[in-house]
Amino acid sequence: MNLTKCNKGHYYDGDKYSSCPFCSGAGPAGDSVTLAAGVPSSDVTVSMPSGIPSDDSVTMMNASFDDPVTQKSVQTGVTGEYASNIPDISGIASSVSLPSDDAVTQSHYRPMMDAIAEQPVSTEPVVGWLVCTSGQYFGRSFPLKAGRNFVGRSPQMDVCLSGENSVSRDRHAVIIYEPRGRMFIAQPGDARELFYLNDKVVLDNERLSPYDEISIGKVNMLLIPFCTEKFAWEDLEKKKDEKKNKSGKKNQDEKKDSTGISLNKETKELT
């Protein structure tokens, strides 16, 4: 078979036809047409399979929309007897709309801290620190927040070790503070490189203890927890609620005493 392409993008058997049978209308019913990429927008007639009269054809019209996958203009639109069986998708790209969700996800402590401080808090409350004991960041501390703390060279990392080429750019390691259990956890990151906890490689979640040594590249850091079983930010909220409850109970008791004194005076006057 000698596969030949005409000027309009039709493919046909060159051994069977001397010229494009589709352009000249000589193609028999049952032959198929393959449209090459970049076919001109002029109308193209496609023959139907054998058993359907050759004059019952489907004509591709010049209508286009942007394909969401390839981001390229796609020709579509159909006319003819069989057009009713082919759905029109030309308006899908413009008619589909997604709900807008531009709100920033709140951290675990944000609503509680705003309530305790009685005003908006602009910073995340610290739950602990990583203190560097070797490398170019020797002596520096890095604050940790509730949830996942990503470690890497990128400025987007929570613990940014910029310029330290022995550390992966993104998510070399993850240090987690889990507020419900008041525990710190070391977790492998997404990088190919490994990191170590007390000289043992971290391949799974590892619970951390105070002053555990975390080695990432050439950087060694100690975990210094702030939130522990002895104290966490939730304790401040509980103290505030307890103080509020005591104040409310005191007001109720004073009100009862005042009512009792008033009733006693009225009783004495009547007697």
Side-chain angles (χ1 to χ4, degrees):
M1 179 178 178
N2 180 16
L3 186 64
T4 306
K5 176 184 176 183
C6 76
N7 294 331
K8 289 189 176 183
H10 303 142
Y11 287 93
Y12 63 94
D13 187 356
D15 294 334
K16 189 175 180 181
Y17 301 100
S18 60
S19 61
C20 177
F22 304 103
C23 294
S24 62
D31 283 356
S32 60
V33 180
T34 302
L35 300 181
V39 176
S41 59
S42 59
D43 296 347
V44 178
T45 300
V46 182
S47 298
M48 300 301 291
S50 301
I52 300 176
S54 59
D55 57 348
D56 291 333
S57 60
V58 177
T59 304
M60 305 299 293
M61 302 297 292
N62 181 22
S64 64
F65 69 96
D66 290 335
D67 184 90
V69 177
T70 63
Q71 299 297 318
K72 295 181 179 179
S73 180
V74 179
Q75 299 296 321
T76 185
V78 180
T79 62
E81 181 179 346
Y82 298 96
S84 60
N85 296 327
I86 303 177
D88 182 10
I89 61 172
S90 60
I92 289 179
S94 60
S95 63
V96 175
S97 60
L98 298 176
S100 177
D101 184 7
D102 296 330
V104 178
T105 302
Q106 288 188 334
S107 68
H108 173 79
Y109 283 127
R110 178 53 58 83
M112 182 186 69
M113 296 301 292
D114 291 346
I116 294 174
E118 297 181 352
Q119 61 183 354
V121 179
S122 59
T123 58
E124 292 286 342
V126 65
V127 299
W129 299 268
L130 291 178
V131 179
C132 187
T133 57
S134 69
Q136 62 172 307
Y137 289 93
F138 176 81
R140 285 190 55 180
S141 63
F142 299 89
L144 301 175
K145 58 181 177 55
R148 287 183 170 86
N149 297 269
F150 299 108
V151 184
R153 299 197 324 267
S154 169
Q156 283 72 40
M157 298 295 98
D158 301 291
V159 178
C160 176
L161 302 174
S162 176
E164 181 53 71
N165 293 331
S166 64
V167 177
S168 297
R169 179 174 177 82
D170 295 310
R171 303 186 180 188
H172 191 136
V174 185
I175 306 299
I176 300 172
Y177 174 70
E178 199 281 287
R180 293 187 178 182
R182 300 189 181 189
M183 68 177 71
F184 289 87
I185 301 169
Q187 185 181 77
D190 298 334
R192 180 180 62 184
E193 289 75 14
L194 303 174
F195 77 102
Y196 298 83
L197 171 62
N198 299 327
D199 292 329
K200 294 182 179 180
V201 65
V202 177
L203 300 176
D204 203 349
N205 292 345
E206 298 286 350
R207 184 165 182 173
L208 299 174
S209 299
Y211 300 98
D212 273 347
E213 184 179 61
I214 299 168
S215 303
I216 305 176
K218 296 180 180 179
V219 178
N220 292 332
M221 294 179 285
L222 296 183
L223 172 68
I224 310 298
F226 176 64
C227 291
T228 62
E229 294 181 357
K230 294 182 178 180
F231 171 82
W233 294 106
E234 292 89 346
D235 297 339
L236 295 180
E237 186 179 31
K238 292 178 181 178
K239 288 181 179 180
K240 184 177 181 180
D241 291 340
E242 289 174 359
K243 185 177 179 180
K244 185 177 179 181
N245 292 335
K246 288 181 179 179
S247 177
K249 185 177 180 181
K250 183 178 179 181
N251 291 337
Q252 288 179 356
D253 292 341
E254 290 176 352
K255 187 176 180 181
K256 287 180 180 179
D257 292 341
S258 175
T259 304
I261 293 171
S262 175
L263 289 173
N264 289 335
K265 286 183 177 180
E266 291 178 358
T267 302
K268 288 180 179 180
E269 290 176 357
L270 289 174
T271 58

